[in-house]
Amino acid sequence: MKADLRIIFMGPPGGGKGTQAKILQEKYGLEQISTGDMFRAAIKNETPLGVKVKAILASGALVPDDVTCALIAEKLDSMPKDKGFILDGFPRTIPQAKALDDMLSERSLHLDYAINLEVPDDYIIERIAGRYTCSKCSAMYNDSSKPTKVAGVCDECGSTEFVRRPDDNAEVLKSRLENYRDLTAPLLPYYEEKGILKSVDGVGTVGEVTNRIEKVLGY
Ligand code: AMP
């Protein structure tokens, strides 16, 4: 088992990056590095970073590259060098991808794969509109594809409190999808050229998509 793979998860918002990254983290000990989760934690804890980015996340715009890259550099420095990771939601722009290349080469590290989870728009809207998480243990659910077994009770920890992301609404989603198309999709040819881009069909059950990713990674 290769526990030191360094992977990027790409794909549209609601494409399943977070769900799949959490599974690979559990199964293979790869560290999930989610810039979105880091920003949301900062907002919740009202840190200076959180205060700075709160309105940006609410609007569906992207946080400036320098702020986002500084967060990733700090995270890489805090981790053991031999630990594999999955970047979930970073990089999202070409300047971020170039900054990541520099950060990794400064640390004598390299990326193994950029996995692109392909999901058509119709699925994205349904997935995003229905998703919610347990406020206590962060287990993820979806109204249509994965509701809690007992209505209103978390399968994992029994909590009865759940949260929906404030940016998971139709209007903000429109801007997130536009940003994805304009700023993030150009990363596909960037990683294709480096020979590490692998496209995976992201439509299907969570388990089916995990199997496809594992096949690509050789797990
Ligand atoms: P996510 O959870 O990945 O959908 O990210 C939620 C929000 O956090 C995005 O809509 C952006 O506002 C911000 N964000 C997350 N990752 C990045 C990034 N790499 N660059 C800029 N903004 C980001």
Side-chain angles (χ1 to χ4, degrees):
M1 183 177 60
K2 291 167 280 180
D4 60 348
L5 287 181
R6 295 180 182 83
I7 308 163
I8 297 174
F9 268 4
M10 300 187 52
K17 300 187 294 288
T19 303
Q20 295 298 335
K22 280 193 175 65
I23 292 171
L24 295 192
Q25 166 162 276
E26 289 262 304
K27 279 180 91 167
Y28 303 107
L30 302 171
E31 177 113 357
Q32 176 194 16
I33 305 177
S34 160
T35 37
D37 284 352
M38 289 155 100
F39 289 135
R40 279 184 289 276
I43 291 169
K44 193 172 169 196
N45 297 324
E46 297 178 346
T47 67
L49 173 67
V51 172
K52 199 169 176 173
V53 303
K54 188 173 179 180
I56 301 177
L57 264 81
S59 73
L62 291 184
V63 173
D65 289 337
D66 57 338
V67 176
T68 311
C69 292
L71 196 64
I72 291 291
E74 210 177 286
K75 178 71 192 173
L76 290 178
D77 285 338
S78 75
M79 281 171 51
K81 244 184 90 171
D82 58 355
K83 184 149 175 96
F85 57 72
I86 303 162
L87 285 167
D88 159 15
F90 179 92
R92 255 182 164 94
T93 64
I94 293 280
Q96 288 182 14
K98 291 190 170 153
L100 175 64
D101 287 345
D102 293 343
M103 281 185 240
L104 292 177
S105 71
E106 277 161 20
R107 291 164 180 79
S108 306
L109 300 173
H110 68 274
L111 288 173
D112 295 291
Y113 298 105
I115 304 277
N116 181 36
L117 289 176
E118 293 181 315
V119 181
D121 282 7
D122 290 354
Y123 288 87
I124 290 167
I125 292 154
E126 189 188 307
R127 282 190 190 180
I128 287 198
R131 72 181 175 182
Y132 58 100
T133 47
C134 170
S135 18
K136 204 169 157 201
C137 75
S138 300
M140 297 160 93
Y141 298 99
N142 189 288
D143 293 321
S144 53
S145 61
K146 198 195 167 209
T148 52
K149 286 185 187 126
V150 177
V153 182
C154 176
D155 298 353
E156 305 293 330
C157 75
S159 165
T160 52
E161 281 176 34
F162 297 88
V163 279
R164 289 182 193 258
R165 279 173 52 168
D167 58 344
D168 276 354
N169 64 70
E171 200 179 313
V172 176
L173 177 60
K174 201 168 155 250
S175 124
R176 289 163 64 201
L177 282 170
E178 272 167 19
N179 284 332
Y180 177 73
R181 285 198 195 100
D182 297 346
L183 301 169
T184 309
L187 295 181
L188 298 176
Y190 182 84
Y191 288 115
E192 172 105 76
E193 222 162 87
K194 289 181 182 287
I196 60 167
L197 181 70
K198 304 278 176 191
S199 283
V200 170
D201 179 3
V203 178
T205 64
V206 170
E208 282 164 355
V209 178
T210 306
N211 285 343
R212 291 176 200 141
I213 297 172
E214 287 175 323
K215 215 164 162 190
V216 165
L217 300 181
Y219 279 139

